[in-house]
Amino acid sequence: MNLKKTSVLPVFLLMASFSVFAKEVKLGNDLATYTLTCGKSITVNFTDLTDSNSGHTLIGLKNKQTGAVDLFLSRTPTSDRRQYEQYNRVIYDNLSKTYIGMADSPSIVWGAARDNGQTEETYRLALGSHVYICGKLEKLPDETANTLYGEADDESPSDGTNATYGQ
């Protein structure tokens, strides 16, 4: 009797947690394909570029002062193992369709290494003299199908019911 009521809550919470990851994360003109958390709450979103910066990795970090996502581009092409690499701050230029380095940008170091013969890499993010250990690397879902064919976030009925189409 109470089983039906109590079993709905875990299902709802599970569905709500998936919807958090369903949002696309834009990095300049590219979509993030991976995410991980460093330290307690530093979210690192990144993607491997295939355009004029092919082989490089683009990272997005939320700026605590402005609230905007600042972009950082690897100095050299990134290896498959994502070994430690220096990243410089960039902005996306819509006119040239490229990422342009900022002259006064802070550089960061991010990447992975195997500690003491471990089989999995441990990611770290160095911001100045502070080094943060990162959690597990997660691949973001591909939202292409939903973007092309799904409903917009503002199209759902305000009363919480499902809309019926084609009648």
Side-chain angles (χ1 to χ4, degrees), residues 10 38-39 48 54 59 74 77 87 93 103 115 120 133 140 146 167:
C38 298
D48 296 316
S54 183
I59 290 178
S74 61
Y87 289 77
D93 179 48
D115 293 335
E120 289 189 29
I133 296 176
L140 294 171
N146 190 51
Q167 294 184 352

Side-chain angles (χ1 to χ4, degrees), residues 3 5 21 24 41 48 58 60 74-75 80 86 101 103 105 110 114 127 133 151-152 154-155 157 159 166:
L3 182 61
K5 289 180 183 176
F21 295 112
E24 292 179 337
S41 62
D48 296 316
L58 182 68
S74 61
R75 277 194 171 175
D80 291 340
Q86 186 166 357
S105 75
W110 176 79
R114 292 188 179 168
L127 303 173
I133 296 176
E151 295 177 352
D154 60 343
E155 286 181 7
D159 63 359

Side-chain angles (χ1 to χ4, degrees), residues 20-146:
V20 170
F21 295 112
K23 300 289 182 189
E24 292 179 337
V25 178
K26 288 284 278 183
L27 301 175
N29 200 43
D30 294 282
L31 293 177
T33 51
Y34 297 95
T35 189
L36 54 82
T37 301
C38 298
K40 294 178 185 173
S41 62
I42 303 169
T43 301
V44 177
N45 293 302
F46 69 94
T47 190
D48 296 316
L49 298 177
T50 57
D51 58 5
S52 62
N53 296 102
S54 183
H56 290 262
T57 298
L58 182 68
I59 290 178
L61 295 174
K62 185 174 182 179
N63 186 316
K64 293 188 316 186
Q65 293 178 347
T66 66
V69 174
D70 291 342
L71 303 176
F72 294 84
L73 184 67
S74 61
R75 277 194 171 175
T76 60
T78 308
S79 71
D80 291 340
R81 294 185 60 202
R82 300 195 191 285
Q83 295 169 332
Y84 294 121
E85 175 70 43
Q86 186 166 357
Y87 289 77
N88 294 324
R89 186 149 180 247
V90 295
I91 58 170
Y92 183 74
D93 179 48
N94 281 317
L95 186 60
S96 66
K97 305 286 187 216
T98 60
Y99 292 95
I100 299 173
M102 300 188 63
D104 62 342
S105 75
S107 64
I108 64 171
V109 175
W110 176 79
R114 292 188 179 168
D115 293 335
N116 299 326
Q118 291 179 327
T119 57
E120 289 189 29
E121 284 85 8
T122 301
Y123 286 86
R124 288 187 176 80
L125 172 67
L127 303 173
S129 62
H130 299 279
V131 178
Y132 300 93
I133 296 176
C134 304
K136 185 178 178 184
L137 183 69
E138 298 178 42
K139 184 162 177 58
L140 294 171
D142 181 0
E143 288 297 312
T144 304
N146 190 51

